[in-house]
Amino acid sequence: MDLVPSNNVTDGVFPSTCWECSVCCGSLVTVADGHVTNVAPNPQHPHSKGAFCVKGIRGAPGLTYGPSRITQPRRRCGPRGSGQWQEISWDEALDEMANRLAEVRQQYGPLAITGAVSGAFFSRGLVVALLMRSLGSPNWMINQDLCGGCRAVSARATGLNIGGGEDVANARTILIVGRNSYAADPVQWAAIKQAKERGARIVVVDPKRIPACDLADLWLRPRPGADAAVALAMMQVMIARGLYDRAFVERWCHGFGELKERVAAYTPALATQLTGVPADAITAAALLYADGPSTFVSGHGIDAFSAGVQTYRAFHCLVAISGNVDRAGGNRRIRPPRGFSTYLEVLHRPEFRLPRDVEEQTVGAAQFPLWAGPKGWQTACHNPSVISAILTGKPYPVRALYVSGVNIAVTYPDTARTQEALRALDFLAVATHDMTPTAELADLVLPKTTALEEEEVSLAPGGSTVLYTRPAVPPRGAARCDLDIAVALIERLTQRGALTKNFLPWRNQRAFNAFILGDSGISLEELQRTGYVQVPSRPSADVPFATRSGKIELFSETLREAGADPLPAYVPPARETQSAAVRSDYPLVLLTGDREKSYHHSRFRDQPWAAKVSPDPILLIHPDTARSLSVDDGAWVTVDVPGGPGACRLRAKISDRTPPGVVSTGMGWWRPQSAAPDHGARDININAALPYEGRWDPASGSVDTRGLLCRVRAAAPTEAHA
Ligand SMILES: Nc1nc2c(c(=O)[nH]1)N[C@H]1C(S)=C(S)[C@@H](COP(=O)(O)OP(=O)(O)OC[C@H]3O[C@@H](n4cnc5c(=O)[nH]c(N)nc54)[C@H](O)[C@@H]3O)O[C@H]1N2
Ligand SMILES: Nc1nc2c(c(=O)[nH]1)N[C@H]1C(S)=C(S)[C@@H](COP(=O)(O)OP(=O)(O)OC[C@H]3O[C@@H](n4cnc5c(=O)[nH]c(N)nc54)[C@H](O)[C@@H]3O)O[C@H]1N2
Ligand code: SF4
Ligand SMILES: [Mo]
């Protein structure tokens, strides 16, 4: 059957899904005269229940109709980064891209070609991975070493794949660790507020006084990066007092004896020394958590650390021994609807794989087998090792890169080195909506459709809502979606004999989406009508865990085999291993990545409404610290870290939300109006000051993007203007 293309645009109000971030809120999109005139929350939506944010309302239309939108392919016609572009047709762009990729493949072999995307959460991530595989390369970079990588590796090692399965609505106690739902996730935030209203108890573990602290019954304020000790001590209390779930542990946990032995030393008193949290607060947190059902709500604040896997392991073990797994009010494992494929599953399916010996050559797989290569969570590369490979040719040359839907010249640590690597490539193509600092360094810039122009089928975080994003309007100009770009490229690569195997058998996004729906019994037509289909959640209790033992591995056989510590442990933050001299030169601790409601990472930087809400990159400084530094509120300061590539400029905001001695900033800053090609990415972007090399988590390869030592100085008057 030939599937009708979905871009039959009509005016009206249509149910859809906001696709600007992974929260996946249900939306109502109004189209008038072929234009999106309004995006609003869908109060009927079973997943988001009317929750929404300003990025969905203003960001997506701003991106689609804004003046900075790229609508025609561009070819570089001056030196790299000179900002000289020539508009070309898609045929020219695709021919050139196929020629250049075929040349690199011929000269250096398929492994010299790499992709960069945000990950397999969006279909474009899967598409780019499969395009790389079609070229014969297992290499693709994802954001997750900077994002959710530590929890994903821990989830795999422990067998506790509970991301998205927080049953806040039915919990008696909610343990929030390193998660600021207020800014990051309006659906979760609404659920937490509702739970509080009905009497749930809330325990927050966060160095900063975030809005959830105002709802909290108990707030633990550990030193950054020290959380594992909190979890280990909570387990120690629960085990010593017999407050763990014996029956669950016996039936479903592997290695309880070893865990018990490991945590015995982590008394609350020891945890106080390691974290600064009072012992009685840790004990109180353990007692509240043990009095369930309790759900563990966690986030980026304990991920993206060079010991993040161990921290997550400690919390995952805490969840396991409390028995709050796959039961109401606890943490559920998500099982996709029968017959439905998630992008992540497709990535791992044998028919979409390259031979094992090829996948084993994925950059980083030798050092981080649980992260990169065939055994890795998303089979991706280790990013900083790719950057090195581009610059040094080791372990082998990487010469061509295709970037889609990421702005790595801003969002990867060590901006200067990332830029140097991008400049050193033989070929760089960037699919984008606007001229980001990454796109500025490309040979070819490809105009991408936005989420208002694309069709996407996906699964809501809770697993029981299949979501539909409607192509509400036709693409502006010549913009194309990732799948269309990849399919057209594959055709040309085939003609040039540069294809290993076609791993993208779909003719268009419709066919791809039909494949994702598979035998689920859900049709695209139904989704188009309703915007979502609710499916009964599949019970996961009694389903064996995805480990060799079929149990939750408190003692992880996978980690043991990989030569890592099989039991959860406290690993001192890297800063504590620095010399006294360095610590005295860099006396403060830096947190990065504070989410802002008006921005999504580096996005929406050209949009006036966002700049109005948040005009400058902020560094939160405690009043006492500001006083000792003689920094006034609103003053421009510079921040740098030991061993870092340089300083970054931020604007001080004096606030007691951050503890004394800890300064805290956002990420993703650049200014489209500042001079190309950097657009400020080496000035006001915190990643200009962070190294991407350094201590890497032994399992996930993550670097510290927070908890680093730093120093803050008043910016010289010449540096101080915005
Ligand atoms: N508006 C908006 N929403 C977003 C995004 C965005 O850019 N803008 N990005 C999305 C993405 S990709 C992600 S990954 C999520 C991230 O969102 P979250 O998972 O909420 O993570 P963060 O906002 O990075 O940090 C959460 C909390 O961790 C705390 N924290 C920092 N260090 C530590 C520590 O050592 N221990 C503990 N316990 N806490 C610590 C911070 O103070 C902060 O309150 O947000 C998503 N949502
Ligand atoms: N220091 C520090 N660095 C960090 C973090 C931190 O906390 N601290 N956070 C990390 C985290 S958690 C993450 S997830 C990363 C995020 O890093 P990125 O994914 O690079 O961030 P974005 O700004 O969201 O990426 C934006 C690019 O995606 C494109 N884009 C947006 N929407 C779409 C779409 O629908 N389709 C396509 N094809 N493209 C689209 C836009 O062109 C935009 O330029 O940053 C990481 N970097
Ligand atoms: S949180 Fe905001 S940006 Fe993310 S899906 Fe919901 S409305 Fe869209
Ligand atoms: Mo992220």
Side-chain angles (χ1 to χ4, degrees):
M1 182 187 68
D2 226 23
L3 291 154
V4 239
S6 46
N7 277 330
N8 298 332
V9 178
T10 36
D11 287 2
V13 180
F14 303 101
S16 185
T17 305
C18 178
W19 208 213
E20 284 311 312
C21 87
S22 52
V23 174
C24 307
C25 303
S27 63
L28 293 172
V29 177
T30 306
V31 181
D33 297 329
H35 258 66
V36 172
T37 54
N38 194 34
V39 180
N42 181 357
Q44 244 76 74
H45 200 267
H47 163 64
S48 58
K49 303 182 180 74
F52 218 67
C53 86
V54 64
K55 296 176 291 156
I57 294 169
R58 306 202 64 170
L63 201 65
T64 306
Y65 297 118
S68 5
R69 176 92 189 267
I70 308 281
T71 56
Q72 192 66 38
R74 292 179 172 191
R75 173 197 286 140
R76 168 165 78 83
C77 55
R80 188 162 272 173
S82 64
Q84 290 163 267
W85 303 100
Q86 177 193 11
E87 290 202 339
I88 56 176
S89 69
W90 270 108
D91 276 338
E92 287 173 278
L94 292 164
D95 280 339
E96 179 165 335
M97 185 158 167
N99 288 339
R100 304 285 293 273
L101 292 176
E103 274 164 30
V104 168
R105 192 173 179 276
Q106 170 84 32
Q107 194 177 346
Y108 299 96
L111 272 60
I113 304 170
T114 298
V117 292
S118 60
F121 190 81
F122 299 92
S123 69
R124 60 177 179 267
L126 176 61
V127 164
V128 170
L130 295 181
L131 173 63
M132 291 301 121
R133 289 182 185 174
S134 302
L135 278 153
S137 174
N139 288 325
W140 62 305
M141 297 196 277
I142 59 175
N143 285 341
Q144 267 67 20
D145 64 318
L146 302 164
C147 178
C150 294
R151 78 199 85 162
V153 170
S154 169
R156 277 169 76 92
T158 318
L160 208 51
N161 195 10
I162 49 176
E166 300 87 358
D167 188 3
V168 171
N170 295 300
R172 186 168 152 75
T173 302
I174 304 168
L175 174 64
I176 303 174
V177 189
R179 175 77 172 164
N180 184 9
S181 325
Y182 166 80
D185 184 335
V187 174
Q188 192 172 65
W189 180 240
I192 290 171
K193 282 193 299 187
Q194 261 175 25
K196 176 71 187 175
E197 273 163 33
R198 67 159 169 79
R201 288 101 41 107
I202 295 181
V203 179
V204 174
V205 183
D206 200 301
K208 277 174 50 194
R209 185 165 56 77
I210 52 172
C213 296
D214 300 338
L215 308 179
D217 298 270
L218 189 61
W219 169 30
L220 314 189
R221 201 174 204 188
R223 287 194 281 272
D227 298 72
V230 171
L232 292 162
M234 286 173 71
M235 285 194 272
Q236 191 273 343
V237 171
M238 283 164 62
I239 294 172
R241 299 190 184 201
L243 295 175
Y244 64 98
D245 187 331
R246 270 170 217 276
F248 184 83
V249 165
E250 215 157 275
R251 171 77 183 86
W252 287 116
C253 296
H254 169 80
F256 180 72
E258 289 91 337
L259 177 78
K260 184 177 169 185
E261 218 169 281
R262 171 62 63 89
V263 304
Y266 289 98
T267 57
L270 175 64
T272 302
Q273 286 173 32
L274 301 175
T275 66
V277 179
D280 56 354
I282 295 177
T283 304
L287 299 184
L288 279 171
Y289 183 72
D291 184 17
S294 301
T295 194
F296 166 59
V297 173
S298 65
H300 191 217
I302 49 167
D303 213 303
F305 273 107
S306 65
V309 173
Q310 279 297 42
T311 303
Y312 253 102
R313 280 270 298 150
F315 281 101
H316 280 151
C317 290
L318 173 71
V319 172
I321 66 161
S322 75
N324 284 297
V325 179
D326 295 325
R327 49 171 82 145
N331 292 80
R332 239 170 9 90
R333 281 177 288 165
I334 302 301
R335 298 179 70 204
R338 226 179 279 283
F340 181 97
S341 301
T342 65
Y343 308 142
L344 200 57
E345 275 170 354
V346 177
L347 202 56
H348 286 279
R349 236 176 245 165
E351 63 268 33
F352 292 101
R353 301 294 291 262
L354 286 168
R356 182 81 175 197
D357 60 318
V358 176
E359 291 195 349
E360 276 167 356
Q361 295 175 62
T362 305
V363 178
Q367 195 177 352
F368 303 107
L370 300 181
W371 174 258
K375 287 190 279 188
W377 168 49
Q378 293 201 16
T379 75
C381 303
H382 179 241
N383 298 351
S385 299
V386 175
I387 303 286
S388 282
I390 296 171
L391 291 169
T392 65
K394 290 185 183 125
Y396 51 77
V398 170
R399 304 304 316 150
L401 182 63
Y402 175 38
V403 177
S404 177
V406 273
N407 186 8
I408 65 177
V410 175
T411 54
Y412 283 4
D414 203 342
T415 309
R417 195 155 186 264
T418 306
Q419 287 182 334
E420 191 191 336
L422 296 180
R423 284 177 184 276
L425 289 162
D426 291 351
F427 178 66
L428 172 63
V430 177
T432 182
H433 304 122
D434 50 357
M435 292 307 286
T436 60
T438 310
E440 290 285 4
L441 300 179
D443 299 291
L444 275 181
V445 178
L446 307 177
K448 273 274 315 146
T449 42
T450 71
L452 296 177
E453 302 163 343
E454 288 172 356
E455 183 179 74
E456 185 100 0
V457 170
S458 59
L459 192 62
S464 49
T465 317
V466 173
L467 303 166
Y468 180 74
T469 297
R470 184 188 181 89
V473 286
R476 249 187 85 187
R480 288 192 185 180
C481 74
D482 283 280
L483 187 87
D484 289 348
I485 298 173
V487 166
L489 260 175
I490 283 192
E491 204 182 291
R492 286 167 170 81
L493 289 163
T494 311
Q495 289 158 4
R496 288 159 178 78
L499 212 70
T500 296
K501 181 179 171 188
N502 184 2
F503 287 108
L504 282 153
W506 310 282
R507 270 166 302 128
N508 51 35
Q509 190 75 22
R510 264 259 129 159
F512 172 81
N513 290 337
F515 163 82
I516 292 293
L517 287 171
D519 301 327
S520 63
I522 300 167
S523 71
L524 277 165
E525 290 68 25
E526 183 184 5
L527 279 171
Q528 216 166 350
R529 244 187 348 266
T530 54
Y532 59 83
V533 170
Q534 190 71 344
V535 285
S537 59
R538 289 167 70 194
S540 29
D542 295 329
V543 176
F545 292 83
T547 52
R548 192 140 352 119
S549 61
K551 294 184 173 187
I552 301 173
E553 296 198 347
L554 307 172
F555 180 99
S556 166
E557 300 295 345
T558 313
L559 287 172
R560 186 183 54 81
E561 264 172 32
D565 189 344
L567 288 164
Y570 170 80
V571 179
R575 65 176 181 276
E576 292 182 8
T577 62
Q578 298 268 17
S579 71
V582 171
R583 289 163 78 169
S584 107
D585 283 350
Y586 296 85
L588 304 173
V589 175
L590 173 68
L591 303 180
T592 79
D594 295 347
R595 266 47 185 169
E596 290 192 71
K597 285 197 168 186
S598 48
Y599 295 113
H600 202 82
H601 309 298
S602 75
R603 289 184 222 168
F604 315 135
R605 303 286 164 175
D606 61 333
Q607 298 195 20
W609 61 270
K612 210 166 158 184
V613 179
S614 171
D616 295 312
I618 290 302
L619 183 74
L620 291 185
I621 309 181
H622 187 274
D624 297 348
T625 311
R627 212 169 300 121
S628 71
L629 295 168
S630 305
V631 166
D632 293 328
D633 195 45
W636 283 91
V637 295
T638 63
V639 179
D640 67 329
V641 310
C648 141
R649 257 177 355 116
L650 303 167
R651 200 158 189 185
K653 181 171 174 179
I654 298 178
S655 159
D656 64 0
R657 285 197 177 272
T658 193
V662 176
V663 292
S664 175
T665 187
M667 48 90 53
W669 277 90
W670 61 289
R671 294 192 203 274
Q673 70 275 23
S674 298
D678 291 352
H679 297 292
R682 284 169 73 165
D683 173 21
I684 54 170
N685 167 23
I686 189 63
N687 281 328
L690 301 191
Y692 211 172
E693 312 256 330
R695 194 174 84 172
W696 286 329
D697 185 289
S700 69
S702 292
V703 79
D704 288 305
T705 55
R706 60 198 74 192
L708 299 130
L709 292 178
C710 76
R711 65 183 167 192
V712 173
R713 295 187 281 198
T718 48
E719 296 173 323
H721 12 256

